[in-house]
Amino acid sequence: MHADLSIFPAINATLNGAAAVLIATGVYFIKTNRRETHRKFMIAAVACSSLFLVCYLTYHAMLGSHSGSVSKHFTGTGPIRTVYFSILISHTILAAVIVPLVLITLTRGLKANFLKHRAIARWTYPLWLYVSVTGVVIYLMLYKIYA
């Protein structure tokens, strides 16, 4: 008997979308000088992204053991394939880069090393937001629009 894995992509997209909202809201709070609220939102964003990563890896490991393939193939044709794969490649590269950036940024913030935190957060924020948003876009293109 094989487990039904069909819910995982929607869960993963929801976690990515929630992380994007938490990230953007957290940045809003620091820009409006609400440091403690910023801290709470960014910790929640890290938790959400971490949960996403666990679910994503679990899904693909289970998918590989059940179907022999660890990925779903994009079925769109024509120029949209170039658009999809451009988003997917940039998302994948930046997803690998963002993990250490988030961990360094989080550590510096929690240790109250705000000058170094701010210096790296300027890079972490837009990249992390991009990875979270494009995760949702990839889900929509792969599982909804071109399913």
Side-chain angles (χ1 to χ4, degrees):
M1 182 171 120
H2 292 293
D4 180 9
L5 305 177
S6 64
I7 191 68
F8 272 94
I11 291 169
N12 292 339
T14 300
L15 290 168
N16 261 327
V21 170
L22 291 165
I23 294 162
T25 306
V27 169
Y28 166 78
F29 283 123
I30 200 62
K31 289 185 182 289
T32 57
N33 295 312
R34 293 185 263 183
R35 186 178 284 175
E36 186 56 30
T37 305
H38 164 76
R39 180 183 167 279
K40 290 175 182 175
F41 270 79
M42 298 316 285
I43 289 170
V46 170
C48 204
S49 287
S50 298
L51 185 56
F52 158 79
L53 187 57
V54 168
C55 287
Y56 177 86
L57 294 173
T58 300
Y59 168 66
H60 285 281
M62 291 174 68
L63 186 63
S65 69
H66 289 182
S67 71
S69 175
V70 296
S71 63
K72 177 172 171 42
H73 297 285
F74 183 68
T75 59
T77 59
I80 197 65
R81 287 185 70 76
T82 303
V83 172
Y84 173 79
F85 283 108
S86 296
I87 294 168
L88 180 64
I89 290 166
S90 64
H91 169 85
T92 303
I93 292 168
L94 292 174
V97 169
I98 202 60
V99 173
L101 282 176
V102 167
L103 294 174
I104 292 166
T105 306
L106 176 67
T107 301
R108 289 178 178 179
L110 292 175
K111 289 184 174 182
N113 190 343
F114 297 124
L115 284 177
K116 286 187 174 183
H117 170 76
R118 196 174 308 119
I120 196 170
R122 290 178 186 184
W123 293 96
T124 304
Y125 162 62
L127 295 177
W128 191 12
L129 188 62
Y130 177 84
V131 168
S132 296
V133 169
T134 55
V136 176
V137 171
I138 291 165
Y139 163 76
L140 291 172
M141 291 180 79
L142 193 57
Y143 292 94
K144 296 298 177 185
I145 299 169
Y146 298 97

